[in-house]
């Protein structure tokens, strides 16, 4: 988890007054395993504003996706572990403790499990109990999202055997509290619900022999492949691996390549991305101007270019385009599920550049869909090419071609994984583009997205200093990224000292 995220959590959770008292309470008794309590109208207007600020801080690039085989036991695939040490010192934690019936000895960090979660349509939800038979405690949910429509679903069901003993309808800024051994199940949002249901869920365990549950998100350098030494044999002609080629009416190419990577490197890349990718969540309605890929995990190009994967990518680019100066400016893992809604888009505008797209689903089989479709530049009734998803297949195409990812079949419990590398014609152009995105400038660097004249002047001065030197520009980019990390650490320390 980033230092910025920790800082935001501490400030927001630490805002609430311990005097907060229940407004409306619904209690459902469960005779054998405990009780269920739902508290609404708990918070003041100021406290609700801070909960909203907390929710707004969550869609950063720190979400972890758990595929079907590794998904948490209740089936909610998207999670962001939160530091219990901050939470257990907060007045909000004190408030939740006061809501728990009876007196008990609780509250040490190692007995609290806490995470932000996103319930999405299509989640493989299952009946689950937070505690096993040897454990006891209380689970809670703080609802951060508002249901837009009465038909959005999203309720939580509680069970006694095969009977539903109570059902709770989520309400923004309310708290659901239940004995942690009671089985529950989420109803995922309806197909008409475009947004995920965001909430904080935790369990406060009694002081029994319960191991600490918090594990912070860490990302290994890109990529760690162990003993992998062979990517693409030097004597292989990439053109011999091209299985399909198509051109748009403007003569822009799409190449489909099979067998480009060695099996060892391919599986190493897939495993690395699965274990280390932290995703940025974006479910805003962008009115069709982007690809609408809601889950993207960016990776630093300065690390990627040291990898054997880049050696393969750069060789393929050089052999198929006749240019050997390509350099990446956007390296990302993209994830789509069956219920996602992707859109037609271009990867660049008014540039002669390429996108390298690698399919990374070993479980894919014919008929599972999850491919990509390329269109005529202006006539969307004319499909230039469709590429079937196949593990290790590559689509290399001109970045100006309109295209769209396709989700997998509705029966798929897995997600469509792809790895995309967008390249510019020189290192300087690539690093410059990455830098202007990092600091908030327009793509050409001529204007600030926030009308910051000082930033615009700083960039113009930088361009003069580096004189077209990609290495010098990369040094400045790394300085910016490292400085941001240091500033985030100081912000965290200041927040803790001032609370």
């Amino acid at each position: 988890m980033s230092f910025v995220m920790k800082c935001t959590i501490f400030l927001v959770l630490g805002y609430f007054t311990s005097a907060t008292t229940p407004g409306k309470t619904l209690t459902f008794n469960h005779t054998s395993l405990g009780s269920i309590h739902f508290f609404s109208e708990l918070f003041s207007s100021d406290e609700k504003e801070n909960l909203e600020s907390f929710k707004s801080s969550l869609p950063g690039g720190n979400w972890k996706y758990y595929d079907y085989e590794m998904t948490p036991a209740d089936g909610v695939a998207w999670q962001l572990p939160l530091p219990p040490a901050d939470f257990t010192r907060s007045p909000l934690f004190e408030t939740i403790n006061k809501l728990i019936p009876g007196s008990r000895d609780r509250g040490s960090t190692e007995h609290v499990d806490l995470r932000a979660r996103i319930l999405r349509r299509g989640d493989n939800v299952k009946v689950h109990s937070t505690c096993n038979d040897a454990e006891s405690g209380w689970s809670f949910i703080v609802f951060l999202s508002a249901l837009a429509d009465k038909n959005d679903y999203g309720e939580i069901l509680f069970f006694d055997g095969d009977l539903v003993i109570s059902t709770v309808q989520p309400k923004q800024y309310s708290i659901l509290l239940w004995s942690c051994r009671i089985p529950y199940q989420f109803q995922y949002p309806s197909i008409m619900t475009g947004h995920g249901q965001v909430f904080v869920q935790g369990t406060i365990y009694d002081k029994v022999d319960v191991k600490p549950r918090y594990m912070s998100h860490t990302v290994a350098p890109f990529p760690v492949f162990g003993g992998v030494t062979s990517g693409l044999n030097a004597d292989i002609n990439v053109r011999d691996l091209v299985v399909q080629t198509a051109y748009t009416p403007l003569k822009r190419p799409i190449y489909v390549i099979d067998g480009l990577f060695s099996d060892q490197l391919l599986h190493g890349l897939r495993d690395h991305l699965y274990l280390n990718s932290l995703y940025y969540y974006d479910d805003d309605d962008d009115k069709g101007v982007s690809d609408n890929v809601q889950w993207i995990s960016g990776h630093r190009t300065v690390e990627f270019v040291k990898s054997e994967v880049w050696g393969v990518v750069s060789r393929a680019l050089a052999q198929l385009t006749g240019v050997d100066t390509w350099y990446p400016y956007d390296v990302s893992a993209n994830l789509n599920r069956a219920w996602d809604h992707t859109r037609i888009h271009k990867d660049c505008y008014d540039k002669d550049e390429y996108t390298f797209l690698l399919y990374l689903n070993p479980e894919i089989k014919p008929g599972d869909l999850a491919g990509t479709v390329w269109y005529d530049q202006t006539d969307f009734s004319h499909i230039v090419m469709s590429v079937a998803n196949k593990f290790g297949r590559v689509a290399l195409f001109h970045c100006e071609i309109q295209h769209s990812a396709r989700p997998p079949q509705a029966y798929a419990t897995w997600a469509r994984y792809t790895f995309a590398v967008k390249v510019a014609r020189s290192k300087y152009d690539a690093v410059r583009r990455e830098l202007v995105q990092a600091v908030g400038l327009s793509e050409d660097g001529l204007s600030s997205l926030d009308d910051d004249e000082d930033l615009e002047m700083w960039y113009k001065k930088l361009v003069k200093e580096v004189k077209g030197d990609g290495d010098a520009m990369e040094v400045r980019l790394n300085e910016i990224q490292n400085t941001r990390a240091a500033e985030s650490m100081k912000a965290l320390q200041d927040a803790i000292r001032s609370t």
Side-chain angles (χ1 to χ4, degrees):
M1 181 181 297
S2 70
F3 294 124
V4 172
M5 179 65 68
K6 286 186 177 180
C7 178
T8 304
I9 290 166
F10 189 87
L11 285 172
V12 175
L13 295 184
Y15 176 86
F16 299 94
T17 64
S18 59
T20 300
T21 55
K24 292 184 179 180
T25 304
L26 294 175
T27 298
F28 311 90
N29 290 320
H30 188 290
T31 55
S32 61
L33 296 178
S35 56
I36 304 158
H37 309 267
F38 184 66
F39 304 91
S40 61
E41 301 181 18
L42 276 171
F43 303 112
S44 68
S45 297
D46 288 342
E47 290 170 339
K48 289 179 181 179
E49 288 181 5
N50 278 268
L51 274 174
E52 186 62 28
S53 296
F54 173 56
K55 187 186 82 168
S56 297
S57 74
L58 292 177
N62 290 283
W63 291 94
K64 181 71 176 177
Y65 176 71
Y66 295 85
D67 217 336
Y68 177 71
E69 293 79 7
M70 295 179 62
T71 197
D74 62 7
V76 179
W78 292 103
Q79 303 206 38
L80 195 164
L82 304 177
D86 291 345
F87 177 66
T88 53
R89 294 198 303 268
S90 72
L92 180 58
F93 176 74
E94 182 180 348
T95 296
I96 293 173
N97 258 332
K98 287 182 177 180
L99 297 176
I100 297 175
S103 61
R104 23 193 317 278
D105 184 16
R106 64 180 89 90
S108 63
T109 298
E110 63 267 25
H111 297 102
V112 174
D113 177 40
L114 183 71
R115 60 198 63 224
R117 313 185 80 191
I118 302 175
L119 180 66
R120 300 277 293 167
R121 61 186 181 275
D123 279 352
N124 185 42
V125 293
K126 292 164 278 191
V127 178
H128 173 63
S129 298
T130 312
C131 294
N132 60 40
D133 292 341
E135 299 172 338
S136 63
W138 290 85
S139 294
F140 63 88
I141 290 176
V142 181
F143 295 101
L144 301 177
S145 294
L147 294 174
D149 184 83
K150 63 184 179 181
N151 294 310
D152 279 351
Y153 309 162
E155 64 269 17
I156 298 97
L157 299 85
F158 292 90
F159 290 86
D160 183 0
D162 59 0
L163 297 176
V164 177
I165 58 170
S166 63
T167 306
V168 175
Q169 183 72 7
K171 183 178 181 181
Q172 192 174 28
Y173 311 133
S174 61
I175 293 178
L176 175 63
L177 181 70
W178 72 94
S179 303
C180 65
R181 291 173 62 192
I182 302 177
Y184 69 93
Q185 184 179 27
F186 291 100
Q187 169 62 60
Y188 55 75
S190 75
I191 194 170
M192 297 301 294
T193 305
H195 299 276
Q197 186 173 315
V198 183
F199 54 92
V200 172
Q201 183 172 349
T203 299
I204 305 171
Y205 294 89
D206 289 327
K207 289 189 175 179
V208 295
D209 186 20
V210 178
K211 295 180 180 180
R213 286 165 161 76
Y214 174 64
M215 293 182 63
S216 62
H217 285 163
T218 58
V219 179
F222 189 100
V224 179
F225 290 146
V228 174
T229 57
S230 59
L232 174 70
N233 293 330
D235 57 349
I236 288 181
N237 186 338
V238 176
R239 290 192 177 276
D240 293 338
L241 303 177
V242 175
V243 294
Q244 283 182 293
T245 305
Y247 293 88
T248 68
L250 296 178
K251 305 302 181 183
R252 289 168 175 157
I254 307 164
Y255 302 102
V256 182
I257 311 165
D258 284 346
L260 184 61
F261 292 90
S262 68
D263 287 344
Q264 190 177 12
L265 187 57
L266 187 62
H267 284 277
L269 174 61
R270 203 274 184 186
D271 292 344
H272 173 83
L273 293 175
Y274 183 80
L275 294 173
N276 293 284
S277 290
L278 300 181
Y279 289 85
Y280 180 84
Y281 175 51
D282 179 12
D283 67 352
D284 289 338
D285 185 2
D286 56 18
K287 306 302 181 183
V289 299
S290 76
D291 58 9
N292 205 38
V293 174
Q294 296 184 344
W295 295 100
I296 299 174
S297 177
H299 295 263
R300 290 186 65 177
T301 57
V302 68
E303 295 174 352
F304 172 67
V305 294
K306 300 174 185 177
S307 74
E308 201 163 348
V309 178
W310 171 240
V312 177
V313 174
S314 61
R315 189 176 304 166
L317 282 161
Q319 290 192 24
L320 291 177
T321 68
V323 177
D324 61 3
T325 57
W326 299 107
Y327 201 84
Y329 66 88
D330 189 317
V331 179
S332 64
N334 298 339
L335 188 151
N336 299 101
R337 297 198 299 172
W339 301 100
D340 289 341
H341 178 212
T342 52
R343 295 190 177 120
I344 301 171
H345 67 286
K346 297 195 296 184
D347 286 348
C348 71
Y349 292 84
D350 302 320
K351 297 184 184 300
D352 187 16
E353 298 174 352
Y354 283 81
T355 297
F356 181 99
L357 183 67
L358 173 63
Y359 298 93
L360 285 174
N361 282 95
E363 68 273 53
I364 198 84
K365 62 183 185 299
D368 283 344
L369 299 178
T372 309
V373 179
W374 284 265
Y375 294 84
D376 182 88
Q377 193 70 8
T378 56
D379 181 7
F380 295 120
S381 67
H382 177 202
I383 292 177
V384 176
M385 171 179 272
S386 291
V387 171
N389 193 321
K390 178 183 177 181
F391 185 51
R393 176 165 286 171
V394 169
L396 177 64
F397 58 95
H398 194 284
C399 66
E400 285 264 14
I401 304 176
Q402 300 272 11
H403 63 284
S404 176
R406 290 292 190 254
Q409 283 271 26
Y411 56 69
T413 56
W414 42 267
R416 173 193 190 264
Y417 281 101
T418 56
F419 181 63
V421 181
K422 300 175 185 178
V423 296
R425 283 185 168 265
S426 71
K427 181 175 183 178
Y428 174 79
D429 288 341
V431 178
R432 184 201 63 79
R433 195 176 308 177
E434 189 174 2
L435 184 142
V436 297
Q437 291 175 354
V439 300
L441 289 166
S442 60
E443 187 172 309
D444 58 14
L446 299 179
S447 60
S448 166
L449 302 182
D450 297 323
D451 296 322
D452 187 337
E453 293 183 0
D454 291 338
L455 179 60
E456 294 169 12
M457 292 298 295
W458 169 85
Y459 176 72
K460 291 177 182 177
K461 181 180 178 181
L462 173 62
V463 170
K464 290 181 180 179
E465 289 177 355
V466 300
K467 299 178 181 178
D469 186 338
D471 292 335
M473 183 69 85
E474 189 173 59
V475 169
R476 298 306 300 272
L477 174 62
N478 290 334
E479 289 175 353
I480 291 169
Q481 293 171 333
N482 294 336
T483 298
R484 283 185 173 180
E487 289 174 348
S488 298
M489 170 62 86
K490 185 177 184 302
L492 173 63
Q493 293 168 339
D494 289 346
I496 293 174
R497 282 194 293 264
S498 63
T499 302

